[in-house]
Amino acid sequence: MKNSTYIAGFSFYVPDTILTNQDLEKKVDTNDEWIVSRTGIRQRHIVNSQACSDLAYEACLKTLERSSLMPGDITHIITATFTPDAYVPNAACIIMEKLGIRGIPALDVNAACTGFIYGIELARGLCVLWPGSKVLLVASEVVTSRINFKDRSTAVLFGDGAGACVISGESFDHNASAGYIRDVLLKADGSLGGLLTVKGGGSAYPLVPGQKADDDFFVQMEGREVFKHAVRSMKNISQDILERNNIVAEDIDLFIPHQANIRIIESLAKSMLISNDKIFVNVQEYGNTSAASVPIALADAWEKGRVKPGYLVLLVAFGGGFTWGAALIQF
Ligand code: UT7
């Protein structure tokens, strides 16, 4: 069975409105010094009235252009999100309609901040079944739609945005930005799910007509605990994927971790002995955009010329569930 899969057309889109730490100081009991020293975040982009599919649409248009594909060439759409426009229809169906695509499978995957890496593996599976596939994978989040701006422990952390790419069983020979997906590794542990939640509105915490949304409708997190698990899990899965590919951290040319907190990224890189010049960081500009964080960072790195032909790139993410995953891409 042919099982080579390729990835191309990296793009991202963030809404125009910028929310700085100084803006947040006016909304909640916080300050720029605390936010920068504890997280590295200086600003984040937030929607005005756009939904998940609007951000995704913009990223997808750029991805199609960068991969020299027409909407009609796409065979599947996968959206990674925990903030879709609606429960039904799913975000992928709304995105396909905006792109003018009909009659192909369209599905959402929710693995919180790890959603993009989960999406890569699902797309890879489709490409093994149907090597001619051209899977449009977009991670899009309006995290601020689930943020309680009265809760300072979460309000300062998140931003909105989308990142997209195309995955195929056929190589993108004509495309300078194309990579080969060398390996993907995914994990989850539901026993730790209570440490990072958005419970309200689910069937276990149903909406009651006329009832006001309470704290349960927004992101709630045991920050310190999540921090520890994030570092440990991303370190372990990174080492596992390196080991099973018979390589060491030194062989990685660019390390693109989930952009949640600069201190998490630095602890992770230090524990893995990856030098600073090989780590890509943009959390200072965008905050934590959940599933969109890794594809935004990947596209941003590519646009800045940090992803060069011949490079081996390691992506790693961690999020609610808990879920975590890593992907190795050979450019
Ligand atoms: O994307 C999914 C994965 N998510 C993550 O990876 C996030 C993981 N966690 C973190 O990044 C960090 O734990 C946080 C940034 C959320 C918090 O940083 P921390 O160093 O763990 O701070 P803390 O929660 O232990 O709080 C320290 C102090 C507390 O005050 P006291 O009890 O020491 O007096 C908090 O009340 O900082 C206070 N605090 C704040 N102060 C000013 C908490 N949030 C704020 C704030 N501004 N926004």
Side-chain angles (χ1 to χ4, degrees):
M1 190 189 295
K2 185 180 185 311
N3 62 6
S4 305
T5 43
Y6 304 87
I7 182 165
F10 311 106
S11 298
F12 76 103
Y13 172 83
V14 288
D16 292 338
T17 307
I18 290 175
L19 183 70
T20 63
N21 292 351
Q22 288 73 18
D23 296 329
L24 278 166
E25 285 176 359
K26 293 175 203 146
K27 285 175 172 250
V28 67
D29 179 18
T30 190
N31 57 78
D32 178 59
E33 196 279 326
W34 190 95
I35 304 172
V36 174
S37 62
R38 298 291 178 125
T39 72
I41 301 168
R42 294 184 181 274
Q43 62 169 50
R44 62 294 285 147
H45 290 246
I46 60 165
V47 295
N48 212 338
S49 56
Q50 293 154 296
C52 167
S53 65
D54 297 315
L55 309 187
Y57 171 72
E58 299 292 341
C60 287
L61 280 186
K62 268 200 252 176
T63 283
L64 290 172
E65 194 189 317
R66 287 185 177 169
S67 51
S68 309
L69 294 173
M70 302 296 288
D73 296 327
I74 296 302
T75 60
H76 308 76
I77 300 182
I78 300 177
T79 307
T81 186
F82 85 92
T83 51
D85 298 33
Y87 279 108
V88 179
N90 68 23
C93 285
I94 300 173
I95 294 162
M96 87 190 303
E97 178 59 11
K98 288 185 175 169
L99 290 168
I101 301 174
R102 290 198 179 156
I104 60 166
L107 68 136
D108 291 1
V109 50
N110 177 355
C113 303
T114 320
F116 181 72
I117 311 243
Y118 269 63
I120 293 178
E121 186 71 327
L122 293 179
R124 232 161 57 112
L126 289 167
C127 292
V128 170
L129 265 178
W130 314 103
S133 299
K134 301 258 180 308
V135 184
L136 181 58
L137 171 62
V138 57
S140 182
E141 300 277 23
V142 181
V143 187
T144 57
S145 65
R146 289 301 189 130
I147 291 301
N148 175 0
F149 279 97
K150 292 197 173 101
D151 175 4
R152 70 176 182 173
S153 69
T154 52
V156 302
L157 304 175
F158 297 94
D160 304 327
C165 64
V166 179
I167 292 174
S168 177
E170 291 167 350
S171 67
F172 296 84
D173 286 338
H174 55 285
N175 195 307
S177 79
Y180 164 69
I181 303 171
R182 185 159 161 181
D183 200 8
V184 180
L185 187 54
L186 303 177
K187 303 237 174 189
D189 183 350
S191 72
L192 300 164
L195 295 172
L196 176 45
T197 58
V198 186
K199 292 181 278 196
S203 54
Y205 293 83
L207 278 171
V208 176
Q211 187 187 320
K212 280 194 182 159
D214 61 20
D215 291 353
D216 280 342
F217 281 75
F218 301 98
V219 172
Q220 293 178 315
M221 179 167 68
E222 299 288 335
R224 274 187 205 176
E225 281 303 305
V226 175
F227 188 113
K228 281 189 266 173
H229 285 285
V231 174
R232 197 178 306 144
S233 303
M234 287 195 284
K235 179 189 170 196
N236 289 342
I237 203 162
S238 298
Q239 285 179 336
D240 289 349
I241 200 168
L242 295 181
E243 256 174 52
R244 81 176 188 183
N245 285 274
N246 300 315
I247 50 180
V248 292
E250 265 185 16
D251 298 323
I252 299 299
D253 298 297
L254 189 65
F255 180 49
I256 305 184
H258 175 45
Q259 306 286 313
N261 184 326
I262 188 71
R263 291 189 295 133
I264 293 179
I265 295 172
E266 284 172 355
S267 307
L268 178 61
K270 194 172 162 200
S271 70
M272 290 178 62
L273 304 175
I274 293 185
S275 58
N276 282 345
D277 57 313
K278 290 184 172 180
I279 308 163
F280 188 78
V281 179
N282 66 7
V283 69
Q284 68 282 3
E285 277 181 77
Y286 303 109
N288 180 349
T289 55
S290 184
S293 150
V294 167
I296 288 176
L298 177 57
D300 192 15
W302 184 77
E303 285 180 12
K304 288 178 170 143
R306 294 282 306 272
V307 179
K308 297 191 168 55
Y311 266 27
L312 183 60
V313 175
L314 175 62
L315 312 177
V316 62
F318 176 87
F322 286 152
T323 56
W324 61 105
L328 266 180
I329 302 177
Q330 179 69 63
F331 284 86

